[in-house]
Amino acid sequence: MLQGHRTWVFDHKPVILSTGTVGGPFEANGAIPNDFDLLHSDLWLNQDSYEKAHKVLFEQACLRAIEKAELQKEQIQFLLGGDLINQITPTSFASRTIGTPYFGLFGACSTSMEGLALGASIINAKGAKYLLTGASSHNAAVEKQFRYPTEYGGQKPPTAQWTVTGAGAAVLSDTGDGPCVTSATIGRVIDMGLTDPFNMGGAMAPAAVDTIEAHLKDRNIDPSYYDLIVTGDLGKIGHEVSFDLLKKHGTPIQENQYQDCGLMIYREGQPVLSGASGAGCSAAVVYGHLLNRMKQGEFKRMLVVATGALLSPLTFQQSETIPCIAHAVSIEYEGGATV
Amino acid sequence: MSNNKKKLLTPVQQQYQEMQSQLETKRPVLKNCLKAFLTGGSICLIGQAIQIFYIYFFDFTEQTAGNPTAGTLIFIAMLLTGFGLYDRIGQFGGAGSAIPLTGFGNAVISAAIEHRTEGFVLGVGGNIFKLAGSVILFGVSSAFVVALIKTILIQWGGL
């Protein structure tokens, strides 16, 4: 299963049976509202705190994924998930409702692919028949923790990003029909010494580049093997920087095959500055929009590289730099699955 | 970046940061200054209108009209914050809406709203001055120092 230094190749081809995606009002107004299973018109989601609303987001994404796979909660063996809130309480509390055995993960915004990589490896090793993995974030709950109060009138620089209110979850299985998880590359923690928490894209770009290059090297393939290489939430600046860095290192990557989830979810004119971010960003875009496009046959092979900035408000105030990580997972459908 | 900080970085990090800062979108400083000037100026203009209103219609002098004017401005800032509009003005106006009295009001009120779900005592009470606390601390201490200098100059400087 291990190939090269840090890549898993899944011989038994774990299948993404179904997915569930939930979004908030800002996402409903965005570029891909039709790719969400459920959209909320209110940030509160009928709860009395944003943290509870955050929990409900993940809960609904999980339940919707289970429902779409025509399974019962009891048939799911494990749940792997995480979010950005202290002690990942929204995910843990949602798991209390769902009631399956649970692994809590923290990889900041890279949690979605961390979960998918680990989940696929458990399925591949016959450690489970059905397994649920996902990630979520809630704009107001996350901003409250990492930044200023939501209603505070501080000016954000053009490099800042908008935290997605959304959740995405997927049911993995060893049998069935659907896109297959074929390989995964686990990222190293990369720190380029950047300290500006309002420029996450710039801080995370080298981590994405490191993981992409490691993946291509371990699997001994060319970027052209993939129809799409998509990063998690680098935003405008991180996307440009990482593309330039890949070019500089001599990776023959094409501009039209290299995209970013953080630039897909919102439309022009929404006040998101450099793009979207948050654990729910890559989860909702990949499990909704991108898998839908894949099922429609638009492309067959994609590499998802979810990036995460492993900082906390405390480390930032103590003038520490921002360490970042990226995990890559390749998803293939139909023709690609037999390679 | 200061040289001291640069010394701690490896050559690879320095090289990357240089490349990154070239691609990074810069803050449009001149445009932001102009917007801040207009926003701050408008807030002060409204304040002036309120002050004249109090002097004209009520029994206030130019000296005593300050307090009700400040109160009214903070009340307006509170409403705008509660309706979720002040942060939008802040994104447009920057320092122009942060520096005047209304910005201080917004800092206090937004923190109070934000932590309401954690209860009145530990939530609202404990966090209401989260942002404004440093303004109060350093404002009061610098005022004390300035007052001390003024007193010394008047008492012994013969001003």
CSV table of all heavy atoms in Angstrom, one decimal, chain A residues 290-337:
chain,number,residue,atom,x,y,z
A,290,LEU,N,-17.5,19.4,-7.1
A,290,LEU,CA,-16.5,18.7,-7.9
A,290,LEU,C,-16.9,17.2,-8.2
A,290,LEU,O,-16.8,16.8,-9.3
A,290,LEU,CB,-15.2,18.7,-7.2
A,290,LEU,CG,-14.5,20.1,-7.3
A,290,LEU,CD1,-13.2,20.1,-6.5
A,290,LEU,CD2,-14.3,20.6,-8.7
A,291,LEU,N,-17.5,16.5,-7.2
A,291,LEU,CA,-17.9,15.2,-7.4
A,291,LEU,C,-19.1,15.1,-8.4
A,291,LEU,O,-19.2,14.2,-9.2
A,291,LEU,CB,-18.3,14.5,-6.1
A,291,LEU,CG,-17.1,14.0,-5.3
A,291,LEU,CD1,-17.5,13.2,-4.1
A,291,LEU,CD2,-16.1,13.2,-6.1
A,292,ASN,N,-20.0,16.2,-8.3
A,292,ASN,CA,-21.1,16.2,-9.2
A,292,ASN,C,-20.6,16.4,-10.7
A,292,ASN,O,-21.1,15.7,-11.6
A,292,ASN,CB,-22.0,17.5,-8.9
A,292,ASN,CG,-22.9,17.2,-7.7
A,292,ASN,OD1,-23.0,16.1,-7.3
A,292,ASN,ND2,-23.5,18.2,-7.2
A,293,ARG,N,-19.6,17.3,-10.8
A,293,ARG,CA,-19.0,17.4,-12.2
A,293,ARG,C,-18.3,16.2,-12.6
A,293,ARG,O,-18.4,15.8,-13.8
A,293,ARG,CB,-18.0,18.6,-12.1
A,293,ARG,CG,-18.7,20.0,-12.3
A,293,ARG,CD,-17.7,21.1,-12.0
A,293,ARG,NE,-16.7,21.2,-13.0
A,293,ARG,CZ,-15.6,22.1,-12.9
A,293,ARG,NH1,-15.6,22.9,-11.8
A,293,ARG,NH2,-14.7,22.1,-13.8
A,294,MET,N,-17.7,15.5,-11.7
A,294,MET,CA,-17.0,14.2,-12.0
A,294,MET,C,-18.1,13.2,-12.5
A,294,MET,O,-17.9,12.5,-13.5
A,294,MET,CB,-16.3,13.7,-10.8
A,294,MET,CG,-15.3,12.7,-11.1
A,294,MET,SD,-14.3,12.4,-9.6
A,294,MET,CE,-12.7,12.3,-10.3
A,295,LYS,N,-19.2,13.1,-11.8
A,295,LYS,CA,-20.2,12.1,-12.1
A,295,LYS,C,-20.9,12.5,-13.5
A,295,LYS,O,-21.4,11.6,-14.2
A,295,LYS,CB,-21.3,12.1,-11.0
A,295,LYS,CG,-20.8,11.3,-9.8
A,295,LYS,CD,-21.9,11.4,-8.7
A,295,LYS,CE,-21.3,10.8,-7.4
A,295,LYS,NZ,-22.1,11.3,-6.3
A,296,GLN,N,-20.9,13.8,-13.8
A,296,GLN,CA,-21.4,14.2,-15.1
A,296,GLN,C,-20.4,13.9,-16.3
A,296,GLN,O,-20.7,14.1,-17.4
A,296,GLN,CB,-21.8,15.6,-15.1
A,296,GLN,CG,-23.1,15.9,-14.4
A,296,GLN,CD,-23.1,17.4,-13.9
A,296,GLN,OE1,-22.3,18.2,-14.3
A,296,GLN,NE2,-24.1,17.7,-13.1
A,297,GLY,N,-19.2,13.4,-15.9
A,297,GLY,CA,-18.3,13.0,-16.9
A,297,GLY,C,-17.4,14.1,-17.3
A,297,GLY,O,-16.7,14.0,-18.3
A,298,GLU,N,-17.4,15.2,-16.6
A,298,GLU,CA,-16.6,16.4,-17.1
A,298,GLU,C,-15.1,16.1,-16.9
A,298,GLU,O,-14.3,16.5,-17.7
A,298,GLU,CB,-16.9,17.6,-16.2
A,298,GLU,CG,-16.9,18.9,-17.0
A,298,GLU,CD,-17.3,20.1,-16.2
A,298,GLU,OE1,-18.5,20.0,-15.6
A,298,GLU,OE2,-16.5,21.0,-16.0
A,299,PHE,N,-14.7,15.3,-15.9
A,299,PHE,CA,-13.3,14.9,-15.8
A,299,PHE,C,-13.3,13.6,-15.0
A,299,PHE,O,-14.3,13.2,-14.4
A,299,PHE,CB,-12.4,15.9,-15.1
A,299,PHE,CG,-13.0,16.6,-13.9
A,299,PHE,CD1,-13.0,16.0,-12.7
A,299,PHE,CD2,-13.6,17.9,-14.0
A,299,PHE,CE1,-13.6,16.6,-11.6
A,299,PHE,CE2,-14.1,18.5,-12.9
A,299,PHE,CZ,-14.1,17.9,-11.7
A,300,LYS,N,-12.2,12.8,-15.2
A,300,LYS,CA,-12.1,11.5,-14.6
A,300,LYS,C,-11.2,11.4,-13.4
A,300,LYS,O,-11.4,10.5,-12.6
A,300,LYS,CB,-11.7,10.5,-15.7
A,300,LYS,CG,-12.8,10.2,-16.7
A,300,LYS,CD,-12.4,9.2,-17.7
A,300,LYS,CE,-13.6,8.8,-18.6
A,300,LYS,NZ,-13.2,8.2,-19.8
A,301,ARG,N,-10.1,12.1,-13.4
A,301,ARG,CA,-9.2,12.0,-12.3
A,301,ARG,C,-8.9,13.4,-11.7
A,301,ARG,O,-8.6,14.3,-12.5
A,301,ARG,CB,-7.9,11.5,-12.9
A,301,ARG,CG,-8.0,10.1,-13.5
A,301,ARG,CD,-6.7,9.9,-14.3
A,301,ARG,NE,-6.7,8.5,-14.9
A,301,ARG,CZ,-5.8,8.2,-15.8
A,301,ARG,NH1,-4.9,9.0,-16.2
A,301,ARG,NH2,-5.8,6.9,-16.2
A,302,MET,N,-9.0,13.4,-10.4
A,302,MET,CA,-8.6,14.7,-9.8
A,302,MET,C,-7.8,14.4,-8.5
A,302,MET,O,-8.0,13.4,-7.9
A,302,MET,CB,-9.9,15.6,-9.5
A,302,MET,CG,-10.8,15.1,-8.4
A,302,MET,SD,-11.9,16.4,-8.0
A,302,MET,CE,-13.1,15.5,-7.0
A,303,LEU,N,-7.0,15.4,-8.3
A,303,LEU,CA,-6.2,15.3,-7.1
A,303,LEU,C,-6.6,16.5,-6.2
A,303,LEU,O,-6.5,17.7,-6.6
A,303,LEU,CB,-4.7,15.5,-7.4
A,303,LEU,CG,-3.7,15.4,-6.2
A,303,LEU,CD1,-3.7,14.0,-5.6
A,303,LEU,CD2,-2.3,15.8,-6.7
A,304,VAL,N,-7.1,16.2,-5.0
A,304,VAL,CA,-7.5,17.3,-4.1
A,304,VAL,C,-6.5,17.5,-3.1
A,304,VAL,O,-6.0,16.6,-2.4
A,304,VAL,CB,-8.9,16.9,-3.4
A,304,VAL,CG1,-9.3,18.1,-2.6
A,304,VAL,CG2,-9.9,16.5,-4.4
A,305,VAL,N,-6.0,18.7,-3.0
A,305,VAL,CA,-4.9,19.1,-2.0
A,305,VAL,C,-5.5,20.1,-1.0
A,305,VAL,O,-5.5,21.3,-1.3
A,305,VAL,CB,-3.7,19.7,-2.7
A,305,VAL,CG1,-2.5,19.8,-1.8
A,305,VAL,CG2,-3.3,18.8,-3.9
A,306,ALA,N,-6.0,19.6,0.1
A,306,ALA,CA,-6.5,20.5,1.1
A,306,ALA,C,-5.4,21.0,2.0
A,306,ALA,O,-4.6,20.3,2.5
A,306,ALA,CB,-7.6,19.7,2.0
A,307,THR,N,-5.4,22.3,2.1
A,307,THR,CA,-4.4,23.0,2.9
A,307,THR,C,-4.9,23.5,4.2
A,307,THR,O,-6.0,24.0,4.3
A,307,THR,CB,-3.8,24.2,2.1
A,307,THR,OG1,-5.0,24.9,1.5
A,307,THR,CG2,-3.0,23.7,0.9
A,308,GLY,N,-4.0,23.5,5.2
A,308,GLY,CA,-4.5,24.0,6.5
A,308,GLY,C,-3.4,24.8,7.2
A,308,GLY,O,-2.2,24.5,7.1
A,309,ALA,N,-3.8,25.9,7.9
A,309,ALA,CA,-2.8,26.7,8.6
A,309,ALA,C,-3.0,26.3,10.1
A,309,ALA,O,-4.0,26.5,10.7
A,309,ALA,CB,-3.1,28.2,8.4
A,310,LEU,N,-1.9,25.8,10.7
A,310,LEU,CA,-2.0,25.3,12.0
A,310,LEU,C,-1.7,26.3,13.1
A,310,LEU,O,-0.8,26.1,13.9
A,310,LEU,CB,-1.0,24.0,12.1
A,310,LEU,CG,-1.3,23.0,11.1
A,310,LEU,CD1,-0.2,21.9,11.1
A,310,LEU,CD2,-2.6,22.3,11.3
A,311,LEU,N,-2.3,27.4,13.0
A,311,LEU,CA,-2.1,28.4,14.1
A,311,LEU,C,-3.2,28.5,15.0
A,311,LEU,O,-4.3,27.9,14.8
A,311,LEU,CB,-1.8,29.8,13.4
A,311,LEU,CG,-3.1,30.6,13.0
A,311,LEU,CD1,-2.6,32.0,12.7
A,311,LEU,CD2,-3.9,30.0,11.9
A,312,SER,N,-3.0,29.2,16.1
A,312,SER,CA,-4.1,29.6,17.0
A,312,SER,C,-4.0,31.0,17.3
A,312,SER,O,-2.9,31.6,17.1
A,312,SER,CB,-4.1,28.7,18.3
A,312,SER,OG,-3.2,29.3,19.2
A,313,PRO,N,-5.1,31.7,17.8
A,313,PRO,CA,-5.0,33.1,18.1
A,313,PRO,C,-3.9,33.4,19.1
A,313,PRO,O,-3.2,34.4,19.1
A,313,PRO,CB,-6.4,33.4,18.7
A,313,PRO,CG,-7.3,32.4,18.2
A,313,PRO,CD,-6.4,31.1,18.0
A,314,LEU,N,-3.6,32.4,20.0
A,314,LEU,CA,-2.6,32.6,21.0
A,314,LEU,C,-1.2,32.6,20.4
A,314,LEU,O,-0.4,33.5,20.7
A,314,LEU,CB,-2.7,31.4,22.0
A,314,LEU,CG,-1.8,31.5,23.2
A,314,LEU,CD1,-2.5,32.0,24.4
A,314,LEU,CD2,-1.2,30.1,23.5
A,315,THR,N,-0.9,31.6,19.5
A,315,THR,CA,0.4,31.6,19.0
A,315,THR,C,0.7,32.8,18.1
A,315,THR,O,1.8,33.3,18.1
A,315,THR,CB,0.6,30.3,18.1
A,315,THR,OG1,-0.3,30.4,17.0
A,315,THR,CG2,0.4,29.0,18.8
A,316,PHE,N,-0.4,33.3,17.5
A,316,PHE,CA,-0.2,34.5,16.6
A,316,PHE,C,0.1,35.7,17.5
A,316,PHE,O,1.0,36.5,17.2
A,316,PHE,CB,-1.5,34.7,15.8
A,316,PHE,CG,-1.8,36.2,15.5
A,316,PHE,CD1,-0.9,36.9,14.7
A,316,PHE,CD2,-2.9,36.8,16.0
A,316,PHE,CE1,-1.1,38.3,14.5
A,316,PHE,CE2,-3.1,38.1,15.8
A,316,PHE,CZ,-2.3,38.9,15.0
A,317,GLN,N,-0.6,35.8,18.7
A,317,GLN,CA,-0.3,37.0,19.6
A,317,GLN,C,1.1,36.8,20.2
A,317,GLN,O,1.7,37.8,20.6
A,317,GLN,CB,-1.4,37.1,20.6
A,317,GLN,CG,-2.6,37.7,20.1
A,317,GLN,CD,-3.8,37.7,21.0
A,317,GLN,OE1,-3.8,37.1,22.0
A,317,GLN,NE2,-4.9,38.4,20.6
A,318,GLN,N,1.6,35.6,20.3
A,318,GLN,CA,2.9,35.5,20.9
A,318,GLN,C,4.0,35.5,19.8
A,318,GLN,O,5.1,35.1,20.0
A,318,GLN,CB,3.0,34.1,21.6
A,318,GLN,CG,2.2,34.1,22.9
A,318,GLN,CD,2.1,32.8,23.6
A,318,GLN,OE1,2.5,31.8,23.1
A,318,GLN,NE2,1.7,32.8,24.9
A,319,SER,N,3.6,36.1,18.7
A,319,SER,CA,4.5,36.4,17.5
A,319,SER,C,5.1,35.1,16.9
A,319,SER,O,6.2,35.2,16.4
A,319,SER,CB,5.6,37.4,17.8
A,319,SER,OG,5.2,38.3,18.7
A,320,GLU,N,4.4,34.0,17.0
A,320,GLU,CA,5.0,32.8,16.4
A,320,GLU,C,4.6,32.8,14.9
A,320,GLU,O,3.7,33.4,14.5
A,320,GLU,CB,4.4,31.5,17.0
A,320,GLU,CG,4.7,31.4,18.5
A,320,GLU,CD,5.5,30.1,18.8
A,320,GLU,OE1,6.2,29.7,17.9
A,320,GLU,OE2,5.3,29.6,19.9
A,321,THR,N,5.4,32.1,14.1
A,321,THR,CA,5.1,32.0,12.7
A,321,THR,C,4.0,31.0,12.5
A,321,THR,O,3.5,30.3,13.4
A,321,THR,CB,6.4,31.6,11.9
A,321,THR,OG1,6.8,30.4,12.5
A,321,THR,CG2,7.4,32.6,11.9
A,322,ILE,N,3.5,30.9,11.2
A,322,ILE,CA,2.3,30.1,10.9
A,322,ILE,C,2.8,28.8,10.2
A,322,ILE,O,3.1,28.8,9.0
A,322,ILE,CB,1.3,30.8,10.0
A,322,ILE,CG1,0.9,32.2,10.7
A,322,ILE,CG2,0.1,30.0,9.7
A,322,ILE,CD1,0.1,33.0,9.8
A,323,PRO,N,2.8,27.7,10.9
A,323,PRO,CA,3.1,26.4,10.3
A,323,PRO,C,1.9,25.9,9.5
A,323,PRO,O,0.8,26.1,9.9
A,323,PRO,CB,3.4,25.4,11.4
A,323,PRO,CG,3.0,26.1,12.7
A,323,PRO,CD,2.4,27.5,12.3
A,324,CYS,N,2.1,25.3,8.3
A,324,CYS,CA,1.0,24.9,7.5
A,324,CYS,C,1.2,23.4,7.0
A,324,CYS,O,2.3,22.9,7.0
A,324,CYS,CB,0.9,25.8,6.2
A,324,CYS,SG,0.6,27.5,6.7
A,325,ILE,N,0.1,22.9,6.6
A,325,ILE,CA,0.1,21.5,6.1
A,325,ILE,C,-0.8,21.3,4.9
A,325,ILE,O,-1.7,22.1,4.8
A,325,ILE,CB,-0.3,20.5,7.3
A,325,ILE,CG1,0.1,19.1,7.0
A,325,ILE,CG2,-1.8,20.7,7.6
A,325,ILE,CD1,0.1,18.2,8.3
A,326,ALA,N,-0.6,20.3,4.2
A,326,ALA,CA,-1.5,20.0,3.0
A,326,ALA,C,-1.5,18.5,2.9
A,326,ALA,O,-0.5,17.8,2.9
A,326,ALA,CB,-1.0,20.6,1.8
A,327,HIS,N,-2.7,17.9,2.7
A,327,HIS,CA,-2.9,16.5,2.4
A,327,HIS,C,-3.5,16.4,1.0
A,327,HIS,O,-4.4,17.1,0.7
A,327,HIS,CB,-3.8,15.8,3.4
A,327,HIS,CG,-3.3,15.9,4.8
A,327,HIS,ND1,-2.1,15.3,5.2
A,327,HIS,CD2,-3.8,16.6,5.9
A,327,HIS,CE1,-1.9,15.6,6.5
A,327,HIS,NE2,-2.9,16.4,6.9
A,328,ALA,N,-3.0,15.4,0.2
A,328,ALA,CA,-3.5,15.2,-1.1
A,328,ALA,C,-4.2,13.9,-1.2
A,328,ALA,O,-3.7,12.9,-0.7
A,328,ALA,CB,-2.4,15.3,-2.1
A,329,VAL,N,-5.4,13.8,-1.8
A,329,VAL,CA,-6.1,12.6,-2.1
A,329,VAL,C,-6.5,12.6,-3.5
A,329,VAL,O,-7.0,13.6,-4.1
A,329,VAL,CB,-7.3,12.5,-1.2
A,329,VAL,CG1,-8.1,11.2,-1.5
A,329,VAL,CG2,-7.0,12.5,0.3
A,330,SER,N,-6.3,11.5,-4.2
A,330,SER,CA,-6.7,11.4,-5.6
A,330,SER,C,-8.0,10.6,-5.7
A,330,SER,O,-8.2,9.6,-5.1
A,330,SER,CB,-5.7,10.7,-6.5
A,330,SER,OG,-5.5,9.4,-6.1
A,331,ILE,N,-9.0,11.2,-6.5
A,331,ILE,CA,-10.3,10.6,-6.7
A,331,ILE,C,-10.4,10.3,-8.2
A,331,ILE,O,-10.2,11.2,-9.0
A,331,ILE,CB,-11.4,11.5,-6.1
A,331,ILE,CG1,-11.1,11.9,-4.7
A,331,ILE,CG2,-12.7,10.9,-6.3
A,331,ILE,CD1,-12.1,12.9,-4.1
A,332,GLU,N,-10.8,9.1,-8.5
A,332,GLU,CA,-11.0,8.8,-9.9
A,332,GLU,C,-12.3,8.1,-10.1
A,332,GLU,O,-12.9,7.5,-9.2
A,332,GLU,CB,-9.8,7.8,-10.4
A,332,GLU,CG,-8.5,8.4,-10.1
A,332,GLU,CD,-7.3,7.6,-10.6
A,332,GLU,OE1,-7.5,6.7,-11.4
A,332,GLU,OE2,-6.2,7.9,-10.2
A,333,TYR,N,-12.9,8.3,-11.3
A,333,TYR,CA,-14.2,7.8,-11.6
A,333,TYR,C,-14.2,7.1,-13.0
A,333,TYR,O,-13.6,7.6,-13.9
A,333,TYR,CB,-15.2,8.9,-11.6
A,333,TYR,CG,-16.6,8.5,-11.6
A,333,TYR,CD1,-17.1,7.5,-10.7
A,333,TYR,CD2,-17.6,9.0,-12.5
A,333,TYR,CE1,-18.4,7.1,-10.7
A,333,TYR,CE2,-18.9,8.6,-12.5
A,333,TYR,CZ,-19.3,7.6,-11.6
A,333,TYR,OH,-20.6,7.2,-11.6
A,334,GLU,N,-14.9,6.0,-13.0
A,334,GLU,CA,-15.0,5.2,-14.3
A,334,GLU,C,-13.7,4.8,-14.8
A,334,GLU,O,-12.9,4.1,-14.2
A,334,GLU,CB,-15.9,5.9,-15.3
A,334,GLU,CG,-17.4,5.8,-15.0
A,334,GLU,CD,-18.2,6.6,-15.9
A,334,GLU,OE1,-17.7,7.3,-16.8
A,334,GLU,OE2,-19.4,6.5,-15.8
A,335,GLY,N,-13.4,5.2,-16.1
A,335,GLY,CA,-12.2,4.8,-16.8
A,335,GLY,C,-11.0,4.8,-15.9
A,335,GLY,O,-10.1,4.0,-16.0
A,336,GLY,N,-10.9,5.9,-15.2
A,336,GLY,CA,-9.7,6.1,-14.4
A,336,GLY,C,-9.5,5.1,-13.3
A,336,GLY,O,-8.4,4.8,-12.8
A,337,ALA,N,-10.6,4.5,-12.9
A,337,ALA,CA,-10.6,3.6,-11.7
A,337,ALA,C,-9.8,2.3,-12.0
A,337,ALA,O,-9.4,1.7,-11.1
A,337,ALA,CB,-12.0,3.3,-11.3
